[in-house]
Amino acid sequence: MSIKNNRNQALVDKLIQLKEQRNAVILAHNYQLGEVQDIADFVGDSLGLSQKAAETETEVIVFCGVHFMAETASILCPDKIVLLPEVNAGCPMANMVTVEKLKEKKQKYGHPYVVCYVNSTAEVKAESDVCCTSANAVKIVKGLDQTRKVLFIPDQYLGHYVSGQAGKEIILWPGYCPTHLRILPQDILRLRKEHPQAKVIVHPECRPEVISLADEVQSTEGMCRYAKTTENNEIIVGTELGIIHRLRKENPGKRFLSASEQAICPNMKLITLEKVVWSLKEMQHQIKVPARIANRARKAVDRMLELR
Ligand code: 13P
Ligand code: SF4
């Protein structure tokens, strides 16, 4: 056994012991490092992870993802301890909208219905009417009273995609995901040329010019489902690189090509196996949304879970 494998095995043994001792579950997003995905009890997209958090019976949730995801778990499970193994793991897109700016925009547009992507802070969720994830955004907007004006925050690209799919004009917020913006139309065109049999799946956070070149537009969990069921053996994947680990693990006979080697979310990569062990040992960093914010934000998240 190599030194790295020995080290990892020792950490995994420690983790199993701590998990039992603390009565904890480990949830990991599809973009996490392979070593973190491999020790998680559940790996999924934002929707799946919030559903898992809502139904878990353990006292502690270790959230291997970014800050807003741990906050969502805290909103849904106010009595549980939610741990984020790296407190600096944030989502830049979530910080592109503030409560003050949102209030100004609501005023400007005569108080539209606010659909808030879960990639947002708890305070912003508390100012919104309903949340959505990339997996259910179209369904949620289609299900709204179509006579009402809709403001979609913070991702302009997801909002633009939803507007097209739902056939509804939507007021967009100028937020974006820096990682998905690195995927360019020329990346897809080049890979299609090199692999003419391959199917192209992309995340709806991509630019419209990339989305229009894709065969499928899916949340990360939708991509994993598609990869399992498609007869195609070669798939070009337009999202953060971490998902390739799970796709290859679940589909050993298929070939996955990343649309861009630049599509790395540095925040998702801050959590390591070592930090997960440390987190459970020290019971750090605890993410707790204050009740006055959590109670309002929960309404928007619950509405999403009811409508999904
Ligand atoms: P998913 O909900 O599709 O996993 O997306 C989360 C995210 O942060 C995408 O950048
Ligand atoms: Fe945020 Fe983009 Fe990273 Fe997702 S990939 S967490 S949207 S920065």
Side-chain angles (χ1 to χ4, degrees), residues 7-225:
R7 165 198 158 265
N8 278 7
Q9 194 50 54
L11 287 169
V12 171
D13 292 345
K14 184 79 194 153
L15 189 63
I16 294 168
Q17 185 200 335
L18 282 166
K19 242 177 62 169
E20 171 125 2
Q21 197 181 320
R22 303 288 196 204
N23 186 17
V25 69
I26 301 177
L27 307 182
H29 187 265
N30 287 320
Y31 297 160
Q32 288 290 291
L33 291 174
E35 64 179 31
V36 174
Q37 293 190 29
D38 290 346
I39 50 87
D41 296 296
F42 179 79
V43 182
D45 66 355
S46 310
L47 180 61
L49 292 170
S50 43
Q51 284 163 334
K52 277 283 163 199
E55 68 200 29
T56 187
E57 281 172 6
T58 60
E59 285 165 56
V60 177
I61 299 172
V62 184
F63 217 113
C64 303
V66 288
H67 196 270
F68 77 80
M69 295 178 174
E71 272 193 341
T72 308
S74 165
I75 291 165
L76 288 168
C77 319
D79 302 329
K80 295 194 189 297
I81 296 173
V82 179
L83 301 176
L84 182 64
E86 169 54 66
V87 78
N88 295 310
C91 166
M93 186 209 288
N95 298 326
M96 290 178 189
V97 51
T98 60
V99 171
E100 294 67 35
K101 290 259 179 275
L102 176 56
K103 281 185 177 164
E104 270 172 36
K105 195 112 160 179
K106 277 163 85 169
Q107 182 90 12
K108 178 174 170 194
Y109 286 98
H111 296 277
Y113 198 80
V114 179
V115 180
C116 178
Y117 191 24
V118 281
N119 297 38
S120 51
T121 62
E123 287 88 343
V124 165
K125 287 183 178 77
E127 273 304 311
S128 301
D129 295 297
V130 66
C131 281
C132 71
T133 72
S134 60
N136 59 19
V138 173
K139 193 171 171 197
I140 284 181
V141 170
K142 273 188 177 168
L144 299 178
D145 170 0
Q146 294 302 305
T147 61
R148 274 196 82 171
K149 256 192 237 166
V150 169
L151 167 63
F152 191 96
I153 57 169
D155 186 4
Q156 62 184 297
Y157 297 111
L158 177 61
H160 178 271
Y161 173 72
V162 170
S163 168
Q165 293 295 305
K168 176 157 181 62
E169 212 176 297
I170 290 177
I171 307 160
L172 301 176
W173 191 272
Y176 60 89
C177 164
T179 298
H180 283 86
L181 272 207
R182 291 193 198 113
I183 304 170
L184 302 173
Q186 51 266 42
D187 295 324
I188 309 286
L189 292 170
R190 178 180 49 79
L191 283 163
R192 270 216 193 270
K193 211 167 179 183
E194 290 168 10
H195 305 273
Q197 306 300 329
K199 289 284 178 199
V200 177
I201 53 176
V202 304
H203 196 274
E205 286 178 16
C206 289
R207 333 164 163 258
E209 308 88 293
V210 167
I211 289 183
S212 65
L213 293 170
D215 297 302
E216 288 281 330
V217 182
Q218 294 282 355
S219 76
T220 58
E221 196 59 31
M223 290 180 175
C224 294
R225 256 194 318 272

Side-chain angles (χ1 to χ4, degrees), residues 194-200 231-236 254-257:
E194 290 168 10
H195 305 273
Q197 306 300 329
K199 289 284 178 199
V200 177
E231 309 239 301
N232 226 275
N233 281 332
E234 224 176 2
I235 302 168
I236 297 164
K254 295 183 182 172
R255 186 163 183 219
F256 298 95
L257 306 150

